[in-house]
Amino acid sequence: MATTVRTLQNFIGGDWVESTGEHVRQIVSPVTGQTIAEVPDASAQDVSRAARAAREAQPSWAALSAWDRAKICHAIADLIDERRDDMARELTLEQGKPFTAEAIPDLEETAENFRIAAEDVKRLESPIIPSQDVNKRILTFRKPNGVYAGITPWNFPTLIPVELIAPGIAAGNTIVMKPSEWTPIAMATFMQAMADAGLPDGVVNVVYGAGEVGERLITDENVDCVGFIGSHTTAEKIVRAAGLKRSLIEASGNGPVIVCEDADLEVAAKGAVFGGFFCAGQVCCATERVLVDQSAHDEFLAAVVAEAERWRLGDPYDDDTLVGPMNNEPTAQKMDSHLEDAVNKGAEIVLGGSRDSGRPTNLYYQPTVVDRVGTDTLINHDETFGPIVPVIAVDGDDQALHVANDSYLGLQAAVYTRSLRRAFRYVDSLQVGNVVVNDSTDYWEAHEPFGGAAGTRTGWGRIGGRYTMLDMTDLRTVVIDAGLD
Ligand code: ADP
């Protein structure tokens, strides 16, 4: 694999523009440990230039017909498909996810998001409302919200940005993306594909940097709204900085998997392990804890271990690798500290439990199963974000519900049961935005509404297909006096 070190440039108003910022970040591959890019942070001037470019492009972009914008979205999807393998190879090198099992599907779904947005925008209907006055006609139109700042994380470096970009631009918004400082290369390559497919200048712009650049972007006078996907601590800062600007926020989860005494334990074990290890557990809807009824505990744990042993850690370019390196050291350290805390409080490591030695980097974490996890642990309360299946035994549905809901991160839960009645009791009582019955917490489809529950700190709005498009547009109400009498 060629490891030439590129220097990334911001993308502003249709051109790659050298950054005027002074601080330069080295992007080091979690797979090989080699430096693969140098990325200067955008300066204040770069950020305001990008926001101005998005502002200038927005009216004429919004004035195109939905069909014209849709045509460009389809062209982008086709070009991503054409470049899929190269983009996926680079994604693996920068992010660490397995090439065949995950990077290729990420790119396919990135393209699919543009197709969904292209077709949704053609059917973005809005109501005509009866009037009290016989002379009046009340119509509504969906209008784009204007210029968005898109602030995104490193676990899905094309797939999460596209969840904002595709519905956002299809509906007539323009956007300035600030990708994660850990994975800027994927965004640069993705941007190139959008530009090559014929996206007009200024519709999508990209600036690089970390929190400081993000905050500058959010507060820029030319940015109207914010789309954010990342951790809940950052979400709180973003919301404070954004003030009254419109926002779409999707933050951390603490996905409980609930395994009832009547569950199909083989199916539950497969789902819990998939949710624990997919993307090395670095997913907002990952299996963060498994609440298993104590009567099913021993059989379930044995099934989990048998399944977990199939998940081979290794070189993410090998076809049979299912777990690659974690993306970055702070996240791996969080996994270290959560495990240590659980063990100190009586948990027992059944499989894995540490970083794997003899690898090109120290980020290859052994897929880990840990049993007897207490409810007083960091694992139970916070998001671990690593390749881990933590098992907590509970005594019946009431206790499972209590432990599941004793959380400030109510994003997604999974429930395994053969009883529809029981499943719906959980569906109705869990304080989460999304419940999956008899499949993994990581089950999602690109067009389904996905997001947090009110009353928890997981954000608001919905990511996914037309639901994001509804969040990124608003109704313009028009009252017409038809002068009939
Ligand atoms: P994750 O660890 O999942 O990437 P973070 O919340 O740390 O989650 O980061 C998500 C995105 O938010 C990244 O692009 C990051 O640079 C950005 N970010 C971090 N802090 C701030 C901030 N104060 N204002 C705006 N953006 C920020």
Side-chain angles (χ1 to χ4, degrees):
M1 165 98 17
T3 50
T4 41
V5 177
R6 320 161 44 179
T7 299
L8 298 195
Q9 297 181 316
N10 298 311
F11 192 78
I12 301 177
D15 290 315
W16 292 105
V17 183
E18 206 166 303
S19 174
T20 61
E22 277 158 22
H23 180 248
V24 178
R25 287 169 201 277
Q26 309 284 321
I27 304 302
V28 177
S29 167
V31 181
T32 64
Q34 288 172 313
T35 298
I36 48 177
E38 294 193 332
V39 188
D41 281 0
S43 66
Q45 188 192 335
D46 297 334
V47 170
S48 66
R49 224 177 126 187
R52 213 165 39 242
R55 168 72 74 212
E56 280 164 13
Q58 203 268 329
S60 51
W61 175 244
L64 292 179
S65 81
W67 266 255
D68 288 338
R69 290 194 303 270
K71 201 182 288 174
I72 291 174
C73 289
H74 276 297
I76 296 171
D78 292 346
L79 203 57
I80 291 172
D81 278 349
E82 219 174 273
R83 297 180 182 178
R84 184 195 71 175
D85 288 12
D86 288 344
M87 290 175 79
R89 220 167 275 122
E90 186 183 75
L91 175 60
T92 292
L93 189 66
E94 182 180 47
Q95 203 282 335
K97 60 181 69 198
F99 173 75
T100 305
E102 297 188 24
I104 293 272
D106 266 25
L107 266 307
E108 286 170 347
E109 200 173 325
T110 301
E112 182 62 13
N113 268 272
F114 277 105
R115 297 202 171 94
I116 292 169
E119 295 311 305
D120 278 345
V121 75
K122 295 178 189 168
R123 297 170 181 80
L124 196 59
E125 294 157 356
S126 48
I128 296 174
I129 298 162
S131 168
Q132 294 175 1
D133 178 342
V134 292
N135 282 321
K136 300 288 193 296
R137 298 292 181 269
I138 304 175
L139 317 177
T140 59
F141 298 87
R142 283 236 157 241
K143 292 288 186 190
N145 288 338
V147 176
Y148 268 82
I151 312 272
T152 49
W154 46 262
N155 50 350
F156 294 89
T158 62
L159 191 48
I160 287 180
V162 80
E163 290 173 338
L164 297 171
I165 295 171
I169 68 169
N173 298 286
T174 57
I175 190 160
V176 182
M177 293 302 302
K178 206 290 294 161
S180 168
E181 61 275 29
W182 296 100
T183 53
I185 304 173
M187 189 69 237
T189 303
F190 179 19
M191 185 67 249
Q192 186 68 61
M194 289 188 275
D196 291 348
L199 188 69
D201 299 347
V203 175
V204 182
N205 307 270
V206 179
V207 293
Y208 306 103
E212 202 185 320
V213 176
E215 194 151 336
R216 220 174 257 145
L217 178 61
I218 289 162
T219 51
D220 190 281
E221 59 180 358
N222 280 312
V223 166
D224 302 312
C225 309
V226 181
F228 170 78
I229 297 152
S231 64
H232 77 277
T233 41
T234 304
E236 303 250 11
K237 291 184 202 156
I238 286 194
V239 170
R240 252 177 258 129
L244 285 178
K245 291 188 182 188
R246 199 69 73 84
S247 61
L248 171 53
I249 305 281
E250 198 257 278
S252 324
N254 190 12
V257 174
I258 296 163
V259 181
C260 301
E261 43 93 12
D262 67 342
D264 181 327
L265 298 181
E266 292 290 325
V267 171
K270 276 195 165 58
V273 169
F274 182 88
F277 297 163
F278 180 77
C279 199
Q282 304 161 121
V283 188
C284 58
C285 53
T287 299
E288 291 287 340
R289 52 208 176 120
V290 185
L291 314 180
V292 57
D293 192 278
Q294 60 191 13
S295 65
H297 172 274
D298 294 357
E299 197 183 329
F300 174 72
L301 184 65
V304 163
V305 172
E307 174 65 14
E309 280 169 342
R310 281 192 339 100
W311 283 68
R312 184 175 168 274
L313 171 73
D315 178 347
Y317 290 105
D318 287 350
D319 279 349
D320 53 354
T321 291
L322 292 179
V323 186
M326 295 182 72
N327 177 258
N328 58 68
E329 184 55 28
T331 311
Q333 276 178 17
K334 183 141 73 107
M335 172 91 170
D336 289 336
S337 67
H338 278 205
L339 261 179
E340 193 187 336
D341 168 75
V343 169
N344 287 341
K345 290 172 179 162
E348 199 178 292
I349 291 172
V350 185
L351 194 75
S354 63
R355 304 186 193 218
D356 212 41
S357 56
R359 302 284 182 182
T361 71
N362 198 26
L363 294 168
Y364 289 75
Y365 220 109
Q366 295 168 351
T368 295
V369 177
V370 54
D371 189 26
R372 299 179 191 283
V373 176
T375 51
D376 57 344
T377 54
L378 293 171
I379 286 179
N380 185 44
H381 287 295
D382 297 335
E383 187 182 49
T384 304
F385 231 55
I388 185 167
V389 180
V391 177
I392 300 174
V394 290
D395 186 10
D397 293 335
D398 288 342
Q399 197 191 0
L401 261 174
H402 173 76
V403 176
N405 283 342
D406 185 20
S407 169
Y408 63 101
L409 299 174
L411 187 61
Q412 174 125 315
V415 181
Y416 287 88
T417 172
R418 287 187 169 96
S419 154
L420 201 54
R421 189 169 155 267
R422 190 175 232 154
F424 270 92
R425 182 167 172 233
Y426 280 103
V427 167
D428 291 346
S429 310
L430 281 165
Q431 214 184 352
V432 293
N434 322 275
V435 183
V436 181
V437 177
N438 292 329
D439 208 327
S440 154
T441 45
D442 268 352
Y443 188 88
W444 78 82
E445 299 193 17
H447 61 294
E448 66 171 56
F450 181 89
T456 69
R457 287 192 241 153
T458 46
W460 45 77
R462 287 295 179 263
I463 294 295
R466 71 189 301 272
Y467 299 94
T468 312
M469 199 175 278
L470 295 179
D471 271 322
M472 296 177 87
T473 55
D474 216 341
L475 289 176
R476 172 79 45 86
T477 303
V478 179
V479 179
I480 300 173
D481 188 308
L484 297 176
D485 60 1

